[in-house]
Amino acid sequence: MGVTFVVVARIPRAGIERFQRYEDAVLPLIVEHGGRLERRLRSPAGDVEVHVLSFAEPESLDAYLDDPRRAEHRELLAASGAELELLEVDDIARA
């Protein structure tokens, strides 16, 4: 069945380039943890990103978040000033 998460990142304009470098380094790791980046959306100004992620199980997300290779790039994330929000979501059946 799996689980789906949405990540909302709000990035100060001065940190956009650093945030994009961080994402370029860590997003490829998702696949190694059984996850999939379903959608990656960005506002026209580049100061908001929304990611839709799916994993076979919640523990797979935990493994991705705890991956030491991801931790190697935390300085870029911190320097970007981005504020991240992680939400577990479910599909809503359409009428």
Side-chain angles (χ1 to χ4, degrees):
M1 186 163 164
V3 291
T4 302
F5 298 91
V6 171
V7 178
V8 179
R10 290 176 176 78
I11 311 129
R13 288 188 186 269
I16 291 172
E17 186 269 333
R18 286 184 201 110
F19 181 78
Q20 290 176 356
R21 285 185 14 227
Y22 170 78
E23 292 292 277
D24 290 344
V26 302
L27 288 178
L29 300 174
I30 290 171
V31 174
E32 294 182 32
H33 295 284
R36 179 180 164 131
L37 177 61
E38 302 285 346
R39 298 284 304 267
R40 183 177 181 187
L41 308 166
R42 183 180 293 148
S43 68
D47 59 344
V48 176
E49 275 204 27
V50 176
H51 302 169
V52 179
L53 308 170
S54 62
F55 288 90
E57 54 194 20
E59 294 80 14
S60 298
L61 171 67
D62 295 337
Y64 166 69
L65 294 175
D66 293 335
D67 189 311
R69 294 170 297 170
R70 189 172 169 270
E72 291 173 8
H73 302 284
R74 281 199 184 119
E75 288 180 22
L76 276 175
L77 179 60
S80 77
E83 294 181 16
L84 304 178
E85 183 176 9
L86 175 67
L87 306 164
E88 185 173 348
V89 296
D90 292 316
D91 282 325
I92 298 174
R94 295 181 187 206

